[in-house]
Coordinates of all heavy atoms in Angstrom, one line a residue:
A1 N 64.7 125.2 61.0 CA 63.8 125.0 59.8 C 62.9 123.7 60.0 O 61.8 123.7 59.5 CB 64.6 124.8 58.5
Y2 N 63.4 122.8 60.7 CA 62.6 121.6 61.0 C 61.3 121.9 61.8 O 60.2 121.6 61.4 CB 63.4 120.5 61.7 CG 62.7 119.4 62.3 CD1 62.2 118.3 61.5 CD2 62.4 119.3 63.7 CE1 61.6 117.2 62.1 CE2 61.7 118.3 64.2 CZ 61.3 117.2 63.4 OH 60.6 116.2 64.0
H3 N 61.5 122.6 62.9 CA 60.4 123.0 63.7 C 59.4 124.0 62.9 O 58.2 123.9 63.0 CB 60.8 123.6 65.0 CG 61.5 122.7 65.9 ND1 61.0 121.5 66.4 CD2 62.8 122.8 66.5 CE1 61.9 120.9 67.2 NE2 63.0 121.7 67.3
C4 N 60.0 124.9 62.2 CA 59.2 125.9 61.5 C 58.4 125.2 60.4 O 57.2 125.6 60.2 CB 60.2 127.0 60.9 SG 59.3 128.3 60.1
Q5 N 59.0 124.3 59.7 CA 58.2 123.6 58.6 C 57.0 122.9 59.2 O 55.9 122.9 58.6 CB 59.1 122.7 57.9 CG 58.4 121.8 56.8 CD 57.9 122.6 55.6 OE1 58.1 123.8 55.5 NE2 57.2 121.9 54.7
I6 N 57.2 122.2 60.3 CA 56.1 121.4 60.9 C 55.0 122.4 61.4 O 53.8 122.1 61.3 CB 56.6 120.5 62.1 CG1 57.5 119.4 61.5 CG2 55.5 119.9 62.9 CD1 58.3 118.6 62.5
M7 N 55.4 123.4 62.1 CA 54.4 124.3 62.7 C 53.7 125.3 61.7 O 52.6 125.6 61.8 CB 55.0 125.1 63.8 CG 55.4 124.3 65.0 SD 54.0 123.5 65.8 CE 52.9 124.9 66.3
E8 N 54.6 125.8 60.7 CA 54.1 126.9 59.9 C 54.3 126.8 58.4 O 53.6 127.4 57.6 CB 54.8 128.2 60.4 CG 54.7 128.5 61.9 CD 55.4 129.7 62.4 OE1 54.9 130.8 62.2 OE2 56.6 129.5 62.9
G9 N 55.4 126.2 58.0 CA 55.8 126.3 56.6 C 56.2 127.6 56.2 O 56.5 128.5 57.0
D10 N 56.2 127.9 54.8 CA 56.6 129.2 54.3 C 57.9 129.7 54.8 O 58.0 130.9 55.2 CB 55.4 130.1 54.5 CG 55.4 131.3 53.6 OD1 56.0 131.2 52.5 OD2 54.7 132.3 53.9
I11 N 58.9 128.8 54.9 CA 60.1 129.1 55.6 C 60.9 130.3 55.0 O 61.4 131.2 55.7 CB 61.0 127.9 55.7 CG1 60.3 126.9 56.6 CG2 62.4 128.2 56.2 CD1 61.1 125.5 56.7
T12 N 61.0 130.3 53.7 CA 61.7 131.4 53.0 C 61.2 132.8 53.4 O 61.9 133.7 53.7 CB 61.8 131.2 51.5 OG1 62.4 129.9 51.2 CG2 62.5 132.3 50.8
M13 N 59.9 132.9 53.3 CA 59.3 134.2 53.6 C 59.4 134.6 55.0 O 59.6 135.7 55.4 CB 57.8 134.2 53.1 CG 57.6 134.0 51.6 SD 58.6 135.2 50.6 CE 57.8 136.8 51.0
R14 N 59.3 133.6 55.9 CA 59.5 133.9 57.3 C 60.9 134.3 57.6 O 61.2 135.2 58.4 CB 59.1 132.7 58.2 CG 57.6 132.3 58.0 CD 57.2 131.2 59.0 NE 55.9 130.7 58.6 CZ 54.7 131.3 58.8 NH1 54.7 132.5 59.4 NH2 53.6 130.8 58.3
L15 N 61.9 133.6 57.0 CA 63.3 133.9 57.1 C 63.5 135.4 56.6 O 64.2 136.2 57.3 CB 64.1 132.9 56.3 CG 65.7 133.1 56.4 CD1 66.1 133.0 57.9 CD2 66.3 132.1 55.5
R16 N 63.0 135.7 55.5 CA 63.2 137.1 55.0 C 62.6 138.1 55.9 O 63.2 139.2 56.2 CB 62.6 137.2 53.6 CG 63.3 136.4 52.5 CD 62.6 136.5 51.2 NE 63.3 135.7 50.1 CZ 62.8 135.5 48.9 NH1 61.5 135.9 48.6 NH2 63.4 134.8 48.1
K17 N 61.4 137.8 56.4 CA 60.7 138.8 57.3 C 61.4 139.0 58.6 O 61.5 140.2 59.0 CB 59.3 138.3 57.6 CG 58.5 139.1 58.5 CD 57.1 138.5 58.8 CE 56.3 139.4 59.8 NZ 55.0 138.8 60.1
H18 N 61.9 138.0 59.2 CA 62.5 138.0 60.5 C 64.0 138.0 60.6 O 64.6 138.0 61.7 CB 62.0 136.9 61.4 CG 60.5 136.9 61.6 ND1 59.8 137.9 62.2 CD2 59.5 136.0 61.2 CE1 58.5 137.7 62.3 NE2 58.3 136.5 61.7
F19 N 64.7 138.1 59.4 CA 66.1 137.8 59.4 C 66.9 138.6 60.4 O 67.9 138.1 61.0 CB 66.6 138.0 58.0 CG 68.1 137.7 57.8 CD1 68.6 136.4 57.9 CD2 69.0 138.7 57.7 CE1 69.9 136.1 57.9 CE2 70.4 138.5 57.6 CZ 70.8 137.2 57.7
A20 N 66.6 139.9 60.5 CA 67.4 140.8 61.4 C 67.4 140.3 62.8 O 68.3 140.5 63.6 CB 66.8 142.2 61.3
G21 N 66.3 139.5 63.2 CA 66.3 139.0 64.6 C 66.7 137.6 64.7 O 66.6 137.0 65.8
V22 N 67.2 137.0 63.7 CA 67.7 135.5 63.7 C 69.1 135.5 64.2 O 70.0 136.1 63.5 CB 67.5 134.9 62.4 CG1 68.1 133.5 62.4 CG2 66.0 134.8 62.0
G23 N 69.4 134.7 65.2 CA 70.8 134.7 65.7 C 71.4 133.3 65.5 O 72.6 133.2 65.7
H24 N 70.7 132.3 65.1 CA 71.2 131.0 64.8 C 70.2 130.2 64.0 O 69.0 130.4 64.1 CB 71.5 130.2 66.1 CG 72.3 129.0 66.0 ND1 73.6 128.9 65.5 CD2 71.9 127.7 66.2 CE1 74.0 127.6 65.5 NE2 73.0 126.9 65.9
V25 N 70.7 129.3 63.1 CA 69.9 128.5 62.2 C 70.2 127.1 62.5 O 71.3 126.7 62.7 CB 70.1 128.9 60.8 CG1 69.3 128.0 59.8 CG2 69.7 130.4 60.5
Q26 N 69.1 126.2 62.5 CA 69.3 124.8 62.6 C 68.5 124.1 61.5 O 67.5 124.6 61.0 CB 68.9 124.3 63.9 CG 69.8 124.7 65.1 CD 69.4 124.2 66.4 OE1 68.2 124.2 66.7 NE2 70.3 123.8 67.3
I27 N 68.9 122.9 61.1 CA 68.3 122.1 60.0 C 68.1 120.7 60.4 O 68.8 120.1 61.3 CB 69.1 122.2 58.7 CG1 70.5 121.7 59.0 CG2 69.2 123.7 58.2 CD1 71.4 121.5 57.7
A28 N 67.2 120.0 59.7 CA 67.0 118.6 59.8 C 66.0 118.3 58.7 O 65.2 119.1 58.3 CB 66.5 118.1 61.1
G29 N 66.0 117.0 58.2 CA 65.0 116.6 57.3 C 63.6 116.5 57.9 O 63.5 116.2 59.1
V30 N 62.7 116.8 57.0 CA 61.2 116.8 57.5 C 60.5 115.8 56.6 O 60.7 115.8 55.4 CB 60.6 118.2 57.3 CG1 59.1 118.2 57.8 CG2 61.4 119.3 58.0
P31 N 59.8 114.8 57.2 CA 59.2 114.9 58.5 C 59.9 114.1 59.6 O 59.5 114.1 60.8 CB 57.8 114.3 58.3 CG 58.0 113.2 57.2 CD 59.1 113.8 56.3
D32 N 61.0 113.3 59.2 CA 61.5 112.3 60.2 C 62.7 112.7 60.9 O 63.3 112.0 61.7 CB 61.8 111.0 59.4 CG 60.5 110.4 58.9 OD1 59.5 110.4 59.6 OD2 60.5 109.9 57.7
R33 N 63.2 114.0 60.7 CA 64.3 114.5 61.4 C 65.6 113.7 61.2 O 66.5 113.6 62.0 CB 64.1 114.6 62.9 CG 64.9 115.8 63.6 CD 64.5 116.1 65.0 NE 65.1 117.3 65.4 CZ 64.9 118.0 66.6 NH1 64.0 117.4 67.4 NH2 65.4 119.1 66.9
H34 N 65.8 113.3 59.9 CA 67.0 112.6 59.5 C 67.9 113.6 58.7 O 67.7 114.8 58.9 CB 66.7 111.4 58.7 CG 66.0 110.3 59.4 ND1 66.4 109.9 60.7 CD2 65.0 109.5 59.1 CE1 65.6 108.9 61.1 NE2 64.7 108.7 60.1
E35 N 68.8 113.1 57.9 CA 69.7 114.0 57.2 C 68.9 115.0 56.3 O 67.8 114.7 55.9 CB 70.6 113.2 56.3 CG 71.7 112.4 57.0 CD 71.3 111.1 57.6 OE1 70.1 110.8 57.6 OE2 72.2 110.4 58.0
P36 N 69.4 116.2 56.1 CA 68.8 117.2 55.3 C 69.0 117.0 53.8 O 69.6 117.8 53.1 CB 69.4 118.5 55.8 CG 70.8 118.1 56.2 CD 70.7 116.7 56.8
D37 N 68.5 115.9 53.4 CA 68.7 115.5 51.9 C 67.4 115.2 51.2 O 66.8 116.1 50.7 CB 69.7 114.4 51.8 CG 69.4 113.2 52.7 OD1 68.3 113.1 53.2 OD2 70.4 112.4 53.0
D38 N 66.9 114.0 51.3 CA 65.8 113.6 50.5 C 64.5 113.7 51.4 O 64.1 112.8 52.1 CB 65.9 112.1 50.1 CG 64.8 111.6 49.2 OD1 64.0 112.5 48.7 OD2 64.6 110.4 49.1
N39 N 64.0 114.9 51.4 CA 62.8 115.2 52.3 C 62.0 116.3 51.7 O 62.3 116.8 50.6 CB 63.3 115.6 53.7 CG 64.1 116.9 53.7 OD1 63.6 118.0 53.9 ND2 65.5 116.8 53.5
E40 N 61.0 116.9 52.4 CA 60.1 117.8 51.8 C 60.7 119.2 51.7 O 60.1 120.1 51.2 CB 58.8 117.9 52.6 CG 58.9 118.4 54.0 CD 57.5 118.2 54.7 OE1 57.1 117.0 54.9 OE2 56.9 119.2 55.1
L41 N 61.9 119.5 52.3 CA 62.5 120.8 52.2 C 63.7 120.8 51.3 O 64.5 119.9 51.3 CB 63.0 121.2 53.6 CG 61.9 121.6 54.6 CD1 62.6 122.0 56.0 CD2 61.1 122.8 54.1

């Protein structure tokens, strides 16, 4: 989600569209790649 948000955004719709082909998910805060808490996601 960190890379996707920086490059493209619209993560929920991309996840729904491609979900059948997703084999693993990763997370990090955006923009600074810290904890997934107080950030733009």
Side-chain angles (χ1 to χ4, degrees):
Y2 168 78
H3 293 304
C4 186
Q5 174 68 2
I6 292 170
M7 290 301 298
E8 307 176 80
D10 202 16
I11 291 176
T12 298
M13 297 307 293
R14 296 186 195 284
L15 182 61
R16 291 173 181 173
K17 176 181 179 181
H18 297 298
F19 180 71
V22 173
H24 188 64
V25 173
Q26 291 178 320
I27 59 171
V30 182
D32 296 318
R33 209 170 192 175
H34 294 317
E35 285 83 352
D37 47 19
D38 185 17
N39 64 92
E40 66 187 61
L41 287 178

